[in-house]
Amino acid sequence: MTQLRLIGSLTSPYVRFVRVVLAEMDIEHTFDATLPFGKMTEAEIEAINTANPLMKVPVLLTPDGPLIDSRVIVEWLLAQHEGASSFGAGFPENLARLNALTTLYGVLDAGVLRFLMAARHPEVDMDSGYMARSLERITHGLAWLDGCEDIGETFGPPEALLVCCVEWLKRRNVYDVAEMTRLSKIVNAFANRPSTLATRIPKDA
């Protein structure tokens, strides 16, 4: 009997990160795919809000209760299944790889903010104030990652989130890293793994 149940949308890069990790570690689970934010059914909203006080995905339901936040979920999976897979073994191997993961979360958070504001509040000037700062954060964060020599050699948590982040930014027309040669090379190297292929955002989503 499957004891883990993941709740989240097919379009969320945070949910995708967890799904990639689950696939890489070959962890048995069920996946309850919800509609994207703003289109969820009442039943989906109730299930998420009941499990997560922050009312967002992903949520991982475990025998010991729910886990919320993709980073916490991944850390828990790595700890609970230590030694079961080479994926994430020993992570974080050094502080640079830990900082890379944190930087990717910051870039993604800024990207999601820009996407939602542009879609829901077209009256907002995206090039001034905090919105301008969010773009600066994305650019600066990705530039740092482009020069980080501690990512890209193996496929672990930073590389998995990198693929999820960069593909989402491009798909939603938030940012294109094409000019960042090294980052693009890393993403292309890992974009067609079974785990990343199986979790890619559907073309019609």
Side-chain angles (χ1 to χ4, degrees):
M1 180 179 178
T2 302
Q3 294 184 311
L4 298 180
R5 175 183 165 205
L6 178 65
I7 304 174
S9 72
L10 294 171
T11 57
S12 166
Y14 305 100
V15 174
R16 186 186 179 195
F17 179 38
V18 176
R19 293 177 66 205
V20 169
V21 173
L22 286 165
E24 286 289 333
M25 300 187 74
D26 195 25
I27 298 174
E28 187 178 0
H29 67 285
T30 58
F31 177 45
D32 293 355
T34 70
L35 292 170
F37 174 73
K39 298 181 180 180
M40 291 182 185
T41 65
E42 290 186 9
E44 290 171 342
I45 293 172
E46 181 179 0
I48 293 167
N49 292 357
T50 299
N52 188 347
L54 296 179
M55 304 181 295
K56 64 178 183 176
V57 294
V59 172
L60 184 70
L61 302 181
T62 81
D64 298 320
L67 270 177
I68 60 176
D69 187 87
S70 60
R71 187 167 190 168
V72 172
I73 292 171
V74 167
E75 289 175 353
W76 183 85
L77 290 172
L78 291 174
Q80 289 293 310
H81 298 268
E82 186 177 4
S85 167
S86 60
F87 178 86
F91 178 81
E93 299 85 346
N94 56 46
L95 292 181
R97 285 181 61 75
L98 191 61
N99 286 336
L101 191 71
T102 301
T103 300
L104 281 163
Y105 267 106
V107 167
L108 196 48
D109 289 346
V112 170
L113 173 66
R114 291 184 64 81
F115 172 72
L116 292 176
M117 290 298 291
R120 297 172 180 272
H121 299 281
E123 75 281 3
V124 172
D125 184 355
M126 299 297 290
D127 297 317
S128 66
Y130 192 76
M131 288 298 97
R133 182 65 171 173
S134 66
L135 180 58
E136 183 181 8
R137 181 167 289 134
I138 294 172
T139 302
H140 193 267
L142 289 174
W144 182 84
L145 288 162
D146 194 44
C148 180
E149 297 182 355
D150 290 271
I151 61 172
E153 293 300 319
T154 60
F155 190 72
E159 291 76 17
L161 186 57
L162 176 64
V163 172
C164 297
C165 175
V166 168
E167 289 191 350
W168 185 88
L169 290 173
K170 183 176 181 180
R171 177 68 179 274
R172 297 309 185 204
N173 296 314
V174 174
Y175 202 96
D176 191 345
V177 303
E179 294 184 359
M180 297 182 180
T181 308
R182 188 166 183 278
L183 273 191
S184 297
K185 184 178 179 180
I186 295 172
V187 171
N188 290 336
F190 297 127
N192 292 318
R193 292 176 68 88
S195 64
T196 51
L197 278 175
T199 59
R200 186 161 290 150
I201 298 174
K203 292 182 179 179
D204 59 350

